[in-house]
Amino acid sequence: MSSSPDNLLQVKIWRGCADGAYEDYVVPQQDNQTVLDVVTYIQRNLDAALAYRFACRVGVCGSCAMTVNGRPRWTCRTHVSRVAKNGMLEIAPLQNLPVIRDLVTDMTPFFEKWQEARGRFVPGEGPKDTLARVPPEQKERAAASAAIECINCGVCYSACDVVAWRDDYLGPAALNRAWAAYNDVRDGDRVGVLKAVSTGTGCNNCHTHQSCAEHCPVALNPTFSIAGLKRATLKASVKGELSK
Amino acid sequence: MTPRLYLLQRGTAFVMVPLVITHLVVIMIAVHGGLSAEEILARTRGSAAWAIFYSVFVFAASIHAGIGMQAIAHEWFGLGQRAAAIAGHIFILFLLSLGLRAVFGVYGL
């Protein structure tokens, strides 16, 4: 479908930092147009100073997440026809993260919390030349597989009410990653993961609102992962493993 | 919230499940027959079983609500961790004083 005056999108885009404001743009509507296409059109044709972030454009890199009509979304895989309300789009940066400029947020706190939640592999004591055997049907492997495909887009972090209420909460993405790390049977310090996520800012603060699972673009369920961490930390706490 | 607080809150909720059901069922049966407050008190006064039942209820509910209030004070009212913990403890003492006063009344002390 070619563009026509009757077929125009009214787009509001957040400009500036945290104290910025929305600016209005008019963009021709196209078939199979994504929200990222709209932002790119504005930057290339209407306002070259617009700052936004993207890389792969195919839902792999997790760079292009923004708030679209009030909901956090991956913009490269979000079709305008699915989210526009009466030909209107309101695009803002992700919530719960500091705004650098326009649609670009500072992801530093988000990734620092991945480190804080110990979402990384710690090698064990075994010799380097032995290959760990992890059968696909193993319970831990299945749990890790269910959580592993996170693309680090920050959508769940932006959607989380608890992060909005307390900025020190580790958040669904970091805890989901910690759950995958905890279920890696090759890890040399699995209790270390539980210690990292059982602090005052960790998994037990989750209110199970499930906004993370509702908004996750790759259909992961961080709430389920956090529930697993709650059970595991509770058992470890009763056994006294967390205080060793 | 630490695992200890989490365990306390979930544990007190678990304790309260049968207590709430018993409380509601007994109240409905007692009132259904047209018992007045005086007649109910005549049956509970001096009963150690009811005094223990409601004492456990009051302790469980106070601790459960106090931990919840601590989270609300921190997350909604912006109190710091320590201030929220103090507020939670004060709330526990407040509910305990109200609840135990009622238990004493039901038992007849």
Side-chain angles (χ1 to χ4, degrees), chain A residues 192-204:
Chain A
V193 177
L194 299 183
K195 285 180 182 170
V197 300
S198 61
T199 61
T201 60
C203 61
N204 290 314

Side-chain angles (χ1 to χ4, degrees), chain A residues 5-143:
Chain A
D6 299 332
N7 202 16
L8 296 171
L9 281 170
Q10 305 296 320
V11 186
K12 284 180 180 292
I13 292 199
W14 186 262
R15 301 304 307 274
C17 303
D19 57 350
Y22 285 100
E23 284 189 15
D24 295 316
Y25 301 89
V26 179
V27 176
Q29 192 162 6
Q30 309 282 345
D31 275 347
N32 300 318
Q33 186 179 28
T34 65
V35 174
L36 183 61
D37 291 337
V38 170
V39 176
T40 300
Y41 178 90
I42 292 170
Q43 197 271 334
R44 290 187 183 168
N45 298 287
L46 305 178
D47 192 343
L50 174 65
Y52 69 113
R53 194 185 273 140
F54 76 98
C56 77
R57 299 181 297 167
V58 288
V60 174
C61 72
S63 312
C64 68
M66 301 168 199
T67 305
V68 183
N69 283 354
R71 291 174 70 113
R73 294 181 182 277
W74 55 351
T75 56
C76 69
R77 298 289 296 271
T78 301
H79 280 250
V80 170
S81 58
R82 203 156 52 87
V83 293
K85 289 175 185 161
N86 303 320
M88 304 269 290
L89 276 180
E90 188 181 272
I91 305 172
L94 285 178
Q95 292 172 338
N96 299 339
L97 286 163
V99 179
I100 296 174
R101 184 162 72 88
D102 302 343
L103 302 173
V104 179
T105 51
D106 181 1
M107 302 290 280
T108 308
F110 176 72
F111 286 114
E112 276 178 347
K113 287 175 180 178
W114 283 53
Q115 294 297 323
E116 214 179 308
R118 226 230 62 185
R120 61 187 181 279
F121 181 70
V122 173
E125 296 288 325
K128 291 187 180 74
D129 55 351
T130 44
L131 197 62
R133 294 178 66 86
V134 184
E137 64 275 12
Q138 188 190 58
K139 192 177 135 209
E140 287 88 347
R141 173 69 244 194

